[in-house]
Amino acid sequence: MKKIFSMLMLGILLMNLASADLIEPGHRGIAINNHITNIDDYSNYILVSYGGIEGMCPIEVIGSDGRIPDYYKYCNPSVYAIPKEKFDEFNQDYILVLDRDYRIFSREQVLEKLSSIGAKEVIKDIQTYEQVLVSSSVKEINNFYTIDLSTIRTEPDDKEVIRNDYIYFYILIPLIAITIILYLIFKKRK
Amino acid sequence: MNFLSGFLFTFLVELLVYFILIKKKKDIFLYCFLINLFTWPLANFFYGVFGMFYLIEFFVFTVEGILVYFLFNLDFRKSFLISFVANFISALGSFVL
């Protein structure tokens, strides 16, 4: 009986914690895609992204296209520029090890190692997800960052909002319908 | 249920109710279509913004009752009865689906 009660309490507690991960009623999630526009300017560096939650926000290498990988919505990753000659060591000792078992190194240990190999944080707190109203016309957002080794960017330099056509459906079509209805009503009364 | 299928479901259910309850069948399809084309997107828009399903349904029922009254030349009571039945059944159906 005690066991059942404890399980029930744990279940209720977890449900409350899980609700933080749910979408608010009347809202939907949209993806935010993040890009580095001047990655080619830093050919002596390898750029990696790394997020704030151990086990859920792995270290990812950013490809030559400059696209920052997608992350779980609460990761808010940062981007670090690692000198090319130091990358192999970091890759062997940390990235590949963490891929096998994320528990081997804590976030603090990873950040310490990044600091010790001369990695520079170039972008901080990247948003990868947003909630908008269900009726919003926003479909996805593209953020563009121009990085600089001497500055930590917290906001994108440019933003592109991609919209869907729902707004026309929601507003134009009812307008057309009521215009026709009113015309038909007035026509009948003549 | 996506937007198109949601609209079609509501329209077809209401059309069926109109066919059963309205004697004069002339222009039933057109009027029912126009009424739903007006109320359905607006109801979904405001539901997305405010929630408040029952309040929005009440406005839909009222507006549709008025439009049925003017388009079909029925008496007020019958118009609102038709609107109530049609919206009740379509709302019930959308809950189930």
Side-chain angles (χ1 to χ4, degrees), chain A residues 19 26 33 48 51 74 82 106 112 120 147 152 155 179:
Chain A
S19 69
N33 308 309
V48 299
Y74 294 125
I82 302 174
S106 67
E112 228 176 270
K120 295 187 199 290
I147 60 170
I152 302 176
E155 293 291 331
T179 306

Side-chain angles (χ1 to χ4, degrees), chain A residues 26 135 166 170 173-174 188-189, chain B residues 3 31 37-38 41 48-49 70-71:
Chain A
S135 49
Y166 290 160
Y170 282 126
I173 288 177
K188 270 177 175 250
R189 292 184 175 259
Chain B
F3 289 101
Y31 293 164
L37 213 55
F38 175 59
V49 173
F70 280 109
L71 285 168

Side-chain angles (χ1 to χ4, degrees), chain A:
Chain A
M1 187 66 187
K2 259 191 187 173
K3 218 179 187 178
I4 294 169
F5 183 74
S6 314
M7 297 279 283
L8 194 64
M9 291 309 294
L10 182 66
I12 291 168
L13 180 67
L14 288 174
M15 272 163 62
N16 281 321
L17 292 174
S19 69
D21 206 8
L22 295 175
I23 296 177
E24 277 178 66
H27 288 73
R28 61 182 167 86
I30 57 159
I32 301 178
N33 308 309
N34 296 282
H35 311 263
I36 297 170
T37 54
N38 61 339
I39 194 165
D40 292 339
D41 295 348
Y42 297 95
S43 49
N44 294 331
Y45 290 83
I46 304 281
L47 298 182
V48 299
S49 52
Y50 180 49
I53 305 172
E54 283 176 24
M56 296 191 79
C57 315
I59 305 168
E60 302 276 5
V61 176
I62 296 170
S64 56
D65 60 355
R67 173 117 160 64
I68 299 167
D70 296 330
Y71 277 89
Y72 170 61
K73 62 183 171 182
Y74 294 125
C75 279
N76 293 21
S78 292
V79 171
Y80 301 88
I82 302 174
K84 220 170 192 170
E85 64 275 10
K86 298 282 186 182
F87 177 76
D88 280 343
E89 172 198 337
F90 181 70
N91 189 37
Q92 289 296 323
D93 296 347
Y94 280 77
I95 298 180
L96 295 175
V97 169
L98 285 169
D99 277 349
R100 287 193 297 270
D101 187 348
Y102 73 89
R103 294 166 295 184
I104 292 180
F105 296 113
S106 67
R107 180 171 159 74
E108 289 68 34
Q109 285 172 308
V110 172
L111 294 178
E112 228 176 270
K113 180 64 180 176
L114 282 167
S115 179
S116 72
I117 59 172
K120 295 187 199 290
E121 188 177 21
V122 290
I123 311 174
K124 191 179 176 146
D125 277 337
I126 297 170
Q127 299 299 310
T128 57
Y129 175 87
E130 198 173 299
Q131 283 193 31
V132 296
L133 292 168
V134 160
S135 49
S136 169
S137 61
V138 177
K139 195 165 127 186
E140 61 184 284
I141 295 173
N142 287 317
N143 285 334
F144 299 94
Y145 293 87
T146 304
I147 60 170
D148 177 347
L149 293 184
S150 59
T151 319
I152 302 176
R153 288 257 182 281
T154 53
E155 293 291 331
D157 298 284
D158 201 9
K159 199 174 200 168
E160 180 193 18
V161 178
I162 297 170
R163 297 182 183 276
N164 58 36
D165 298 327
Y166 290 160
I167 195 77
Y168 303 111
F169 177 77
Y170 282 126
I171 291 170
L172 272 184
I173 288 177
L175 262 177
I176 292 168
I178 195 64
T179 306
I180 298 171
I181 288 170
L182 289 173
Y183 168 75
L184 289 169
I185 291 171
F186 284 118
K187 192 178 157 193
K188 270 177 175 250
R189 292 184 175 259
K190 268 191 180 174

Side-chain angles (χ1 to χ4, degrees), chain B residues 42-59:
Chain B
L42 286 175
N44 273 271
F45 177 80
F46 285 112
Y47 181 60
V49 173
F50 299 114
M52 295 193 280
F53 176 79
Y54 296 108
L55 185 63
I56 288 167
E57 276 301 312
F58 175 76
F59 277 117

